Amino acid sequence: MTDWLTVTEGTAPLLVSIPHTGIDLAGIDNRLISPWLGRRDCDWWIDKLYDFAAGLGATVVHTSISRTVIDVNRDPSGASLYPGQTTTTLCPTETFDGDPLYLPGAEPTPAEISQRHQSYFVPYHEMLGYQATRLRGLHERVVIYDCHSIRSVLPRLFYGTLPVFNLGTNDGQTADPTLQALVGQIMAETGDSYVINGRFKGGWITRYFGNPQGGFHALQMELADRGYLREPEGKGEPDNWPVPYDAAFAAPMAAKLKKILEAATSWALG
């Protein structure tokens, strides 16, 4: 165990991954345009939004390392998960908006990228694999649920305004269709906008660990920030982003997500 990797072990057939809420810049602060810019694309407060998960018996794996240091939800080979579409890399050098992250000449070298991969990416995935296998030893089916959020409007990444709920199963390849339909029904019943396998079909975690034939059913849930935060217009500036976490404002979304995780767990238990 490390000081940046937090694990809460449960026994329910539910593994919750929280890969993008980290704000630890691992000592690269002085190489960035600004530490604030290095944290702007964080999945803000997702760990707080899902703080009910352990109470459901879920196993929760959470990294505090910023995605600016290394993105544990990207293909480690460097291949794009969304060919032909704009996306960020394993060790990004620009923000979602295309702003440079590093001072000129301070970008990570190939050797440094390899070191970050070994130091942070590999342990995170080894832990997910260990926990998934442990739970599979207890249950015939395990749901791997990867938690994310993103700003509602990001013209460089997608057109228009993102739906509130964005469920990804890599076009049905990473989870049983019955589970996908079950979660889809709950999203529809919330009255919020939603899409299944739209712009976000699931990142590396969902695609790597999802193996329905082997009993591993992976879902990625990408939430638009407005669903649980008082999201400001625009791309966020140091004086208005991130907004503080407001548990009362987020409570309705937390209740909807809890219903989704409870239903997924019940489905896995058969």
Side-chain angles (χ1 to χ4, degrees):
M1 196 63 64
T2 72
D3 57 356
W4 57 266
L5 184 60
T6 303
V7 181
T8 303
E9 288 193 346
T11 57
L14 178 63
L15 174 58
V16 173
S17 165
I18 305 179
H20 284 163
T21 63
I23 59 173
D24 184 346
L25 294 171
I28 66 169
D29 309 46
N30 62 354
R31 295 165 55 188
L32 300 175
I33 301 293
S34 76
W36 174 82
L37 194 65
R39 298 182 174 111
R40 187 170 70 191
D41 293 336
C42 173
D43 292 8
W44 287 105
W45 315 126
I46 280 290
D47 51 336
K48 295 181 181 295
L49 182 64
Y50 283 94
D51 66 1
F52 61 84
L56 302 180
T59 296
V60 182
V61 179
H62 175 210
T63 173
S64 67
I65 298 296
S66 169
R67 67 186 304 159
T68 291
V69 177
I70 190 163
D71 190 334
V72 296
N73 199 34
R74 292 293 178 270
D75 186 334
S77 75
S80 174
L81 296 173
Y82 296 97
Q85 294 179 287
T86 301
T87 187
T88 50
T89 55
L90 187 65
C91 292
T93 56
E94 57 187 15
T95 69
F96 289 159
D97 300 284
D99 300 319
L101 283 165
Y102 289 86
L103 295 167
E107 298 86 353
T109 63
E112 185 177 9
I113 292 171
S114 178
Q115 182 269 320
R116 293 184 194 181
H117 175 261
Q118 288 299 318
S119 296
Y120 304 117
F121 186 105
V122 170
Y124 190 78
H125 282 261
E126 285 182 343
M127 181 56 70
L128 285 178
Y130 169 78
Q131 296 297 341
T133 301
R134 178 181 67 83
L135 294 174
R136 183 65 178 82
L138 302 175
H139 305 282
E140 289 188 13
R141 298 187 290 197
V142 175
V143 175
I144 301 167
Y145 183 96
D146 199 35
C147 309
H148 296 269
S149 70
I150 196 167
R151 301 197 322 263
S152 298
V153 177
L154 260 168
R156 185 167 173 266
L157 297 188
F158 50 82
Y159 175 78
T161 301
L162 196 69
V164 171
F165 290 101
N166 300 265
L167 179 69
T169 62
N170 198 23
D171 292 325
Q173 297 182 58
T174 67
D176 188 285
T178 306
L179 174 61
Q180 177 178 298
L182 176 65
V183 177
Q185 179 181 351
I186 296 172
M187 292 190 300
E189 290 171 351
T190 67
D192 293 320
S193 55
Y194 75 98
V195 68
I196 300 174
N197 291 310
R199 172 61 179 86
F200 298 98
K201 300 178 186 295
W204 181 250
I205 290 167
T206 305
R207 302 184 197 198
Y208 182 80
F209 288 104
N211 175 17
Q213 294 74 26
F216 300 99
H217 302 267
L219 308 171
Q220 175 176 298
M221 182 63 79
E222 185 90 50
L223 297 173
D225 285 332
R226 70 184 184 281
Y228 69 102
L229 298 174
R230 290 187 175 88
E231 183 182 10
E233 291 187 10
K235 60 185 184 180
E237 302 297 340
D239 63 345
N240 69 2
W241 189 252
V243 297
Y245 186 69
D246 183 336
F249 184 87
M253 175 56 75
K256 297 167 189 176
L257 295 170
K258 185 176 182 182
K259 186 173 182 180
I260 288 172
L261 292 191
E262 287 175 336
T265 301
S266 295
W267 174 85
L269 290 169

